[in-house]
Structures are given as C-alpha cells and as structure tokens.
Amino acid sequence: MITVRQEGNYKLVEQNGRVQSIIGVEDTPLHTNGAWEQLIPNNNPKTVLILGLGGGTVAKEILKRYPKTIITGVDIDQEILDVAQNECGEERISYICEDCFSYVGRERKKYDYILVDVVKDNYIPLGVLDGVFFDQVTNLLSPTGVLCLRTYDVEKIATHSDFPMEIIRDGNDLIFKYKPK
C-alpha cells in the first residue's frame, strides 16, 4: 500500500511503511547533502532515463535545475507511477509502467544521463547488477552520457572493475557514476 503524507516542507511517499520518495512541497529544494544530491546529474542533460522513478523525487529536482530536459521514467509499479504523476504534474516526464529489464532490452534511444535506482525495501532486484543488464544500460548512453547506479552491493559492482567508476558512499547508499571512454 502506498501513502503520501506531508511532514514540514516535504511529502513522504511510503510503500508498505517504508519511505520510498521525499518530494519537496512547491519550491522546497531536495536535501542538498548525502546520497540524494549525488543522484542529480551535473552535465545539463537533454534526455534522461530513470529506471525506478518511484515518487519522482529525482525527476522533479532535475527538471528544476534543467528546465529543457526531457525525462523518461520507468517503474514496475503503476500505483507509484500514479503518485509520481500526481506529485510532479509534469509534461516533460514520460511515465512508463514496465519492468526495467524488458525496457532496456528493447529501448534503442540514447540518453545523456541514466539513473538506475531500482531499490525496493532496501534490496536491489536480482539481475540489476548482472553484466548483461549493465551492458544493455550502458549501450543506451549517448557519447557524452553518464550512468548513475544506486546500490548497496559493492561486491557485485566490483565484477565490473574494467569500467572506470566514481564511488560515493553515504550511509547505506553507494552511488556509482560511470562515463564511457
């Protein structure tokens, strides 16, 4: 079950009692420290793919910073996509209800920034850290594109050590940023 409740200047989107997204009310900025800030691109992307859109926290912040950006948001849960669409109310976001594996397997468009944030109940679904999925996702990057992967499992990422990645740690979050050579 998904609930949305306001706490101060933020709306908390909870699924099964766990906070999944934190959305600033009106012009309240995203928390500017820690993992959330690291999920925002700094390359002024024209096109963004978010796998695991959730309540739209990161999408909303990207659109505040980069008003010309177009976002494709993919999430497996229609109920959470409905929340994102209601809270973001943004025409520059395409809301797609689909499994991230099937989406990247069929998608051919190139993106300037891809965020993989498919954490659910503090777990990463099996296959997200798999080499096949990683290769499919990196093939969707534009020549100057950046991939950002939020995870908790550093051992699986180590299997892709031939890819140069910047690693950011914040509590339980590990953020990996990859840019093709």
Side-chain angles (χ1 to χ4, degrees), residues 35 38-40 49 51 100 113-119 124-125 127-130 133-134 137-138 146-154 156-160 163 165-169 173-179:
Q38 298 302 323
L39 302 177
I40 307 301
L49 172 62
L51 299 171
C100 66
Y113 182 76
I114 299 173
L115 170 61
V116 180
D117 187 16
V118 291
V119 177
I124 308 294
V128 169
L129 302 178
D130 180 275
F133 180 75
F134 190 84
V137 172
T138 56
V146 174
L147 167 65
C148 182
L149 172 66
R150 180 176 171 220
T151 184
Y152 302 111
D153 195 340
V154 71
K156 294 270 185 144
I157 290 295
T159 63
H160 297 294
F163 293 109
M165 293 190 202
E166 175 187 1
I167 302 172
I168 298 122
R169 295 174 189 267
D173 287 308
L174 289 170
I175 311 295
F176 294 87
K177 289 192 178 178
Y178 162 77
K179 186 172 183 178

Side-chain angles (χ1 to χ4, degrees), residues 72-140:
T72 301
V74 179
D75 205 290
I76 196 168
D77 188 329
Q78 184 62 54
E79 188 179 6
I80 197 73
L81 280 175
D82 292 342
V83 169
Q85 195 163 13
N86 184 53
E87 294 300 326
C88 294
E90 186 55 61
E91 293 176 3
R92 292 175 292 154
I93 302 174
S94 296
Y95 302 89
I96 298 172
C97 186
E98 188 172 346
D99 178 86
C100 66
F101 301 107
S102 63
Y103 185 82
V104 300
R106 70 172 177 77
E107 180 61 89
R108 297 295 171 254
K109 182 179 175 182
K110 299 293 183 183
Y111 295 90
D112 299 321
Y113 182 76
I114 299 173
L115 170 61
V116 180
D117 187 16
V118 291
V119 177
K120 184 156 181 155
D121 296 330
N122 288 336
Y123 293 98
I124 308 294
L126 289 174
V128 169
L129 302 178
D130 180 275
V132 173
F133 180 75
F134 190 84
D135 290 343
Q136 288 176 323
V137 172
T138 56
N139 283 334
L140 298 178

